[in-house]
Amino acid sequence: MTPGILKFAQKLLLLGALAIMGALLSATIVRFAPGYGVDEHELDSRLSASSRDAIRNRLQLGKGLLSYYGAYLSGLVHGNLGTSAFLERPVAGLLKERAAFTARTVFLGWITAWAAASLLSLLTLRWQSWLLEYSATAATGILIALPTAVVALLCLYLRAPLFLGIAVITLPKLFRYQHNILAQAHIQPFVLAARARGVSPGRILFRHVLPVARPPLLALLAVSASLALGAAIPLEALSDSPGVGQLAWQAALNRDLPLLTSITLFVTLLTAGVNLFSGTLQERRP
Amino acid sequence: MKVRRALRFLCRGALLATLALGLFAGSFTPYSYAHQFRGIPNAAPSAAHWLGTDALGRDLFTRLVYGTRVSLLLAPAAALIASIIAAILGAIAGLRGGWLEKIILACADLSMSLPLLFVLIALRSVLPLDVSPVLSVIATFLALGLIGWPASVRVVWAASRDLRDSDHLLLAQALGYRRSQILFHQVLPCLRPVFLAQFWISIPLFILTEATLSMLGLGVMEPLPSWGNLLRGSEDFSAMAANPWRLVPLLVLVHTVICFQFIFPGSEEIA
């Protein structure tokens, strides 16, 4: 086995361990949350003592934290993520239904934000006009100052597609990081030397600036994916879109803790996976 | 450069004025933030109610100034908690190195990879929704403080790591200074600018996050006002055109966050 494959396998193991740690951590929070295990059906006077015992057994009350972990992990291994208390449906099915919508929206928003931020960064770098620089900084400064939920409401009001909202929320931060990275690479002595020798701007960008800026830009891939995913929650919640973000919000409002634990696992896997991908790309030699 | 300096001066003045408005809210308005004028719900601005009233007949200007107090006092408190945690963990990681450094940085990376809003929603949902308004404020800002440290840890860690290899620290060690002396007299004074920068950067981020959480109904609970739950009343944008004064809380929030972006000298000015 080559060292590259071994390293990738190690990272995959780490990813799995992180996801399980995240899930256990949220399971612990759920276990110790005020009101855990209280089922309103227990208050039903028509139920017999054995029915109440059955309810308590289903909720695994009175068992220690370790057996709680055991039950949770064994369910996880068998693909059983439990049942949503609020929607009264299997969590795995709910996630399966909604993950595709969120993934599509987040991906489109993320791509749009990257395209717009790259275009803006390259334009400001190419022309180096103070008017362009200040206009871009002012526009992104105003966008950064808007709460995510307000952008979501604006999208709703303007009937704009959801991915545009994600792009608008992600763009200002992405532009600032990208612009700083590219500007730093652009003032390197060898770039100045190339400019002095009359090398064309396009060649300078692709042969001198981008190779230097590549590692931090790749790291930005993962950071921006997390930003885009975070933006999806208020956008989906306020526009009533059938995605994982809306599901997380509904789970929080209804204190559907088993559902929230599984969504945490899903989000941890997704973001850690993007981090792994970005890390692997960074390690590859140009 | 002069324009930038003047802008910075203006922003600092505006922030101080907004803070004073919140701190001395009682002097600017005779009403309580929860008092209902039941005969005049959704009233337009007048001499008695400068920004009109909301759907429950509460004076909007009063709620705005008291909301300013909540948002502008508690966001810095949360930023202080996050910065202290980041300073401690970052300094330990940077100065000690080894396995401790790896663990702290791995934890920071894991926390940073998860969307902040999602973690906050998950944590907030642990508490019941019908908690008292005061408890909801404490829970919201405490959660922000306890979760908002990872990004700052990396910055403090980088500064501490540079410090670990510095000549003056080596000299202090060679002169036989105790560890505590080195920490308090050599390390912490050098980290102070980084700590302060992280503190100021976190404040607008926390103000915005609280606003989004409250708009989703998971932040500061009614009747206590905050900028976030004041914006919750402006969900119907189509009604905004007819009642543009309802946008004032949003304008105050945006203006404050923009002011925070300008209060520091740029790197070219420092140079």
Side-chain angles (χ1 to χ4, degrees):
Chain A
M1 208 181 287
T2 62
I5 294 173
L6 259 177
K7 213 168 183 178
F8 188 73
Q10 270 179 355
K11 285 193 172 178
L12 268 182
L13 268 175
L14 185 70
L15 172 71
L18 280 178
I20 289 172
M21 263 172 58
L24 287 184
L25 194 68
S26 42
T28 309
I29 294 171
V30 170
R31 180 65 180 76
F32 292 108
Y36 165 78
V38 176
D39 191 317
E40 61 197 38
H41 295 107
E42 279 187 81
L43 301 172
D44 192 341
S45 56
R46 291 168 299 178
L47 292 180
S48 65
S50 57
S51 303
R52 283 197 201 109
D53 281 344
I55 291 173
R56 292 180 71 80
N57 280 336
R58 182 169 58 83
L59 293 170
Q60 299 182 344
L61 293 178
K63 290 188 179 174
L65 190 62
L66 281 178
S67 46
Y68 176 80
Y69 282 158
Y72 179 78
L73 287 177
S74 117
L76 204 64
V77 169
H78 293 97
N80 176 16
L81 299 175
T83 306
S84 159
F86 153 63
L87 294 166
E88 293 184 344
R89 288 185 57 199
V91 172
L94 282 168
L95 281 178
K96 205 173 165 186
E97 270 172 24
R98 288 162 180 256
F101 177 85
T102 301
R104 195 174 54 240
T105 318
V106 169
F107 181 70
L108 278 175
W110 182 66
I111 288 281
T112 312
W114 263 90
S118 306
L119 187 69
L120 210 54
S121 303
L122 292 176
L123 280 178
T124 51
L125 209 65
R126 170 72 183 84
W127 273 283
Q128 302 207 330
S129 126
W130 64 268
L131 185 66
L132 192 63
E133 181 92 28
Y134 277 93
S135 309
T137 310
T140 51
I142 291 171
L143 285 179
I144 281 182
L146 284 175
T148 315
V150 171
V151 178
L153 288 177
L154 271 172
C155 273
L156 199 61
Y157 179 60
L158 299 171
R159 293 166 195 259
L162 220 55
F163 78 86
L164 265 186
I166 291 177
V168 167
I169 293 163
T170 317
L171 168 71
K173 288 172 193 162
L174 197 54
F175 165 71
R176 289 197 167 186
Y177 285 130
Q178 255 192 27
H179 184 257
N180 285 341
I181 291 167
L182 290 174
Q184 280 292 323
H186 208 255
I187 54 166
Q188 295 298 315
F190 58 87
V191 177
L192 287 175
R195 281 164 69 187
R197 288 178 65 187
V199 178
S200 71
R203 196 175 164 84
I204 287 179
L205 177 71
F206 289 105
R207 298 296 291 269
H208 300 283
V209 174
L210 284 182
V212 176
R214 202 184 72 138
L217 283 178
L218 286 174
L220 201 56
L221 276 179
V223 177
S224 58
S226 175
L227 279 175
L229 196 62
I233 299 171
L235 277 164
E236 285 181 2
L238 292 169
S239 63
D240 207 22
S241 303
V244 177
Q246 189 215 35
L247 196 64
W249 178 62
Q250 282 181 338
L253 279 182
N254 294 286
R255 295 196 76 216
D256 192 342
L257 298 172
L259 179 57
L260 210 55
T261 308
S262 300
I263 297 176
T264 307
L265 177 67
F266 172 76
V267 172
T268 312
L269 269 175
L270 204 67
T271 48
V274 176
N275 272 326
L276 174 71
F277 175 68
S278 146
T280 312
L281 281 182
Q282 281 180 67
E283 278 167 16
R284 280 182 64 189
R285 286 182 187 173
Chain B
M1 204 78 89
K2 271 184 185 170
V3 176
R4 213 180 163 131
R5 217 168 278 162
L7 197 64
R8 196 166 65 238
F9 184 73
L10 271 177
C11 287
R12 283 180 181 172
L15 273 181
L16 279 177
T18 315
L19 186 65
L21 190 75
L23 279 178
F24 306 108
S27 314
F28 290 99
T29 170
Y31 313 122
S32 148
Y33 61 79
H35 183 78
Q36 286 178 272
F37 297 91
R38 291 174 195 220
I40 44 166
N42 290 320
S46 62
H49 305 288
W50 292 357
L51 291 175
T53 58
D54 65 8
L56 296 173
R58 296 172 300 190
D59 183 62
L60 267 177
F61 177 73
T62 305
R63 291 186 65 72
L64 178 64
V65 289
Y66 279 101
T68 302
R69 181 189 283 181
V70 171
S71 297
L72 224 47
L73 284 183
L74 289 173
L80 188 67
I81 296 173
S83 306
I84 288 174
I85 296 174
I88 294 170
L89 292 178
I92 290 173
L95 295 172
R96 278 287 302 269
W99 60 270
L100 204 56
E101 180 183 22
K102 280 182 183 161
I103 289 177
I104 291 173
L105 291 182
C107 288
D109 285 348
L110 175 67
S111 312
M112 266 197 296
S113 70
L114 286 171
L116 177 69
L117 195 64
F118 175 76
V119 181
L120 279 170
I121 284 180
L123 264 189
R124 179 61 184 82
S125 65
V126 168
L127 283 177
L129 281 179
D130 58 349
V131 290
S132 71
V134 176
L135 189 61
S136 73
V137 171
I138 296 171
T140 304
F141 285 99
L142 197 64
L144 276 171
L146 293 176
I147 294 170
W149 55 266
S152 306
V153 157
R154 280 237 160 229
V155 181
V156 179
W157 162 75
S160 317
R161 196 188 49 181
D162 291 344
L163 212 58
R164 185 174 64 191
D165 306 327
S166 67
D167 291 340
H168 77 273
L169 223 62
L170 194 69
L171 188 66
Q173 282 168 344
L175 287 171
Y177 280 15
R178 286 195 304 274
R179 271 189 175 185
S180 59
Q181 277 179 314
I182 292 175
L183 182 69
F184 289 106
H185 296 292
Q186 309 292 330
V187 175
L188 289 183
C190 292
L191 290 180
R192 197 170 53 196
V194 180
F195 174 81
L196 283 176
Q198 291 308 307
F199 169 71
W200 286 106
I201 287 169
S202 305
I203 297 173
L205 174 72
F206 290 169
I207 290 175
L208 289 171
T209 311
E210 182 278 323
T212 296
L213 264 185
S214 294
M215 283 182 80
L216 290 172
L218 291 164
V220 178
M221 290 289 159
E222 295 268 1
L224 207 64
S226 75
W227 285 345
N229 64 21
L230 282 173
L231 290 177
R232 216 179 167 198
S234 53
E235 277 170 358
D236 186 4
F237 264 96
S238 47
M240 284 290 159
N243 310 300
W245 57 88
R246 292 279 171 90
L247 279 174
V248 173
L250 176 63
L251 294 179
V252 173
L253 189 149
V254 170
H255 162 261
T256 305
V257 174
I258 289 177
C259 282
F260 269 110
Q261 293 180 28
F262 281 107
I263 58 171
F264 291 110
S267 52
E268 68 275 18
E269 283 176 87
I270 294 169

